[in-house]
């Protein structure tokens, strides 16, 4: 039976933080947030303010990131992906839509705050 010391678990947590959480935060601040802001600003210029814009902004931002990742890793879609991949991508876009809706309704309370 192998037993690990608490120091080993702490070391794994520290390395996990360095190699996963820090890049995720960097990607969020350098790529996702500016892209979402640009999409949100363009949506405000094109449409009247509405309660649907947070969800649409999140979904469009997530879809744009997924499309760029597919183009960077695969080059192009030459065939229809398997159902698991399609469900995974739709789930990512759904998470983006949900987080955009949550940010709009709960964090910034917009457009009701302007009324």
């Amino acid at each position: 039976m192998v037993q690990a010391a608490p120091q080993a678990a702490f070391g794994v947590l520290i390395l996990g933080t360095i190699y996963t959480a820090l890049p995720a935060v960097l990607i969020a601040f350098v790529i996702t947030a500016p892209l979402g802001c640009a999409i949100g600003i363009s949506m405000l210029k094109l449409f009247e303010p509405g309660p649907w814009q947070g969800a649409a902004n999140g979904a469009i931002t997530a879809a744009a990131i997924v499309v760029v990742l597919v183009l960077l890793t695969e080059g192009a879609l030459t065939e229809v992906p398997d159902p698991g991949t399609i469900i995974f991508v739709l789930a990512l876009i759904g998470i983006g839509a949900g987080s955009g809706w949550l940010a709009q309704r709960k964090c910034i309370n917009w457009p009701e705050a302007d009324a």
Side-chain angles (χ1 to χ4, degrees):
M1 185 157 108
V2 177
Q3 293 181 346
Q7 294 85 1
F10 185 70
V12 167
L13 288 174
I14 294 296
L15 284 176
T17 301
I18 291 171
Y19 289 111
T20 59
L22 291 178
V25 168
L26 183 68
I27 289 169
F29 280 106
V30 174
I31 297 171
T32 308
L35 179 63
C37 288
I39 292 170
I41 290 169
S42 64
M43 286 176 65
L44 277 177
K45 293 187 184 294
L46 293 173
F47 306 107
E48 291 292 321
W52 56 272
Q53 285 180 334
N57 187 1
I60 293 169
T61 303
I65 290 172
V66 168
V67 166
V68 168
L69 286 175
V70 166
L71 292 176
L72 288 176
T73 57
E74 299 286 328
L77 283 175
T78 56
E79 59 188 36
V80 176
D82 61 297
T85 303
I86 293 171
I87 291 171
F88 179 74
V89 169
L90 291 176
L92 288 178
I93 293 171
I95 290 169
S99 64
W101 175 84
L102 188 67
Q104 179 183 0
R105 304 300 288 171
K106 303 298 180 190
C107 296
I108 61 175
N109 193 26
W110 180 82
E112 285 82 11
D114 291 339

